[in-house]
Amino acid sequence: MESKLVIYNTLTRQKERFEPINAPHVGMYVCGPTVYGDPHLGHARPAITFDVVFRYLKHLGYKVRYVRNITDVGHLEHDADEGEDKIAKKARLEQLEPMEIAQYYTNRYHQAMDMLNVLRPSIEPHATGHIIEQQQLVQQIMDRGFAYESNGSIYFDIEAYNKQYKYGILSGRSLENIKDESRELAGVGEKRNQADFALWKKAQPEHIMRWPSPWSDGFPGWHCECTAMGRKYLGETFDIHGGGMDLVFPHHECEIAQATASMGHQAVKYWMHNNMLTINGQKMGKSYNNFITLEQFFTGNHPLLEKAYSPMTIRFFVLSAHYRGTVDFSNEALVAAERGLEKLMNAIADLDRLSSMTSQCDVETEKLVKSLREKCYDAMNDDFATPQVISYLFEACTVVNKLIDHKATICADCLKELKEVMHLFAEDILGLKAEKSGTNDEREAAFGKVVDMVLELRAKAKADKDWATSDKIRDELAAAGFEVKDTKDGVTWKLNK
């Protein structure tokens, strides 16, 4: 399978042609959430970004195994190696079992992702379900001389690793710089140097989540889970590893070191990272206490929000920027996304109601339709340039509006092609879908049937040349918020917000 897809590889810092290791099979691993709180907008961006990657690779004909982990051991407060387990802390405060906390917020995460129309991954492994694999990874690293035991904890020996390989190849940092940046931490006396990171931590008496091991009753270091689970489900080498840019260092840097130290070679061919969502230029996240949960976006219940925003508005907002670009939150940007989504979905709905009654297109319409598919593919093949795809779809929206207003003509073949391309890229690949006011789908469907029935009565009145009744129905619908348009191909309608 010859690929035209080009991906920016964080490891090489350049765009590279996508050539899977075992085409047509593709292995993709994406770092999922740590489940100790409600999902927020910062969770939405990587989920949506790699959902589009997943959708597009499958559309191209690849057999994709998409692994997205759930971190339910819990990162530690203050530092990846020190402090209190965040899930255990939440459990202690709420007087629940840690797994109750993890399961509750995993369910919340799934609910939010479903609303955002994010497809479920092929496999969703939990860190707590793979303790044995993580212990095996630690032992392999120790056996090859790149880790050491200290007071029941196991630390990765960065200096020993750096002599044979090179630590810092993903982030571009040197070992000396990393040492200089390392903070003085409680427990640093256990380490040979400050930059070493924990592979296994001996649990303190108050630590709830712990497992037996050859070294101590304890728990795995944060970085181990992805290396161990990626290898288990995708093999010793796989194609794509993704996540937020904030994970480049130290998490993904440590993953590379762990994989190389345990196997003698790197595991990942392409590293992909989405950029951050910010508020007033600062990263959005729990640790910054400036995050807005997805539920708050959907309900409008947050001081920074002027109104509620639908899940598809959030998805459109995320895709309106390239995944490697920074996106700064503002109500103005969300309102613009809301209008853009409405414009696109209304155009697709209007297009579906059109039927061609002419044998030829006007020149402008034919030119756009015949180039639209290729331009959208070119944009997606250029490192998943979703904003460019949206801009091409907006150009198509302009043509649709002209068709509705009898300012353009389209033949049957071009109409079919335009419908196929609009649905393919807007819905199947970008994952957008129409949203109507209200939440009860069955009620909305019945509502639409009633409107169509009223319009049939109007059509009968027009056929009987009962212009007064026809105009009255149109005017009453307009007063109720419906925009009715008569075209030579039939009648279209939409409910104005």
Side-chain angles (χ1 to χ4, degrees), residues 22-72:
N22 295 306
H25 297 275
V26 172
M28 182 170 78
Y29 190 102
V30 175
C31 291
T34 304
V35 285
Y36 70 98
D38 273 336
H40 55 79
L41 191 59
H43 290 123
R45 190 169 196 194
I48 293 169
T49 294
F50 292 101
D51 179 60
V52 170
V53 174
F54 184 34
R55 288 169 179 267
Y56 191 59
L57 290 176
K58 290 200 301 179
H59 170 70
L60 292 179
Y62 293 109
K63 300 180 184 299
V64 186
R65 177 176 287 178
Y66 175 18
V67 180
R68 185 184 67 205
N69 69 295
I70 295 290
T71 298
D72 54 358

Side-chain angles (χ1 to χ4, degrees), residues 156-172:
F156 190 92
D157 191 336
I158 289 183
E159 283 197 341
Y161 175 83
N162 200 57
K163 288 177 182 177
Q164 185 168 343
Y165 303 102
K166 179 172 170 37
Y167 184 80
I169 59 175
L170 186 66
S171 63

Side-chain angles (χ1 to χ4, degrees), residues 388-399:
Q388 194 65 48
V389 173
I390 291 172
S391 73
Y392 293 143
L393 295 178
F394 277 171
E395 290 177 9
C397 291
T398 301
V399 168

Side-chain angles (χ1 to χ4, degrees), residues 267-307:
V268 180
K269 187 173 182 181
Y270 304 97
W271 286 89
M272 292 181 64
H273 294 90
N274 63 274
N275 214 321
M276 297 297 98
L277 285 159
T278 59
I279 297 181
N280 298 322
Q282 186 181 46
K283 176 195 167 186
M284 181 184 293
K286 288 185 173 69
S287 57
Y288 297 95
N289 199 32
N290 67 351
F291 65 97
I292 305 174
T293 69
L294 291 172
E295 182 179 28
Q296 288 170 329
F297 273 104
F298 302 157
T299 62
N301 186 25
H302 191 281
L304 292 176
L305 297 174
E306 295 177 358
K307 55 179 288 188

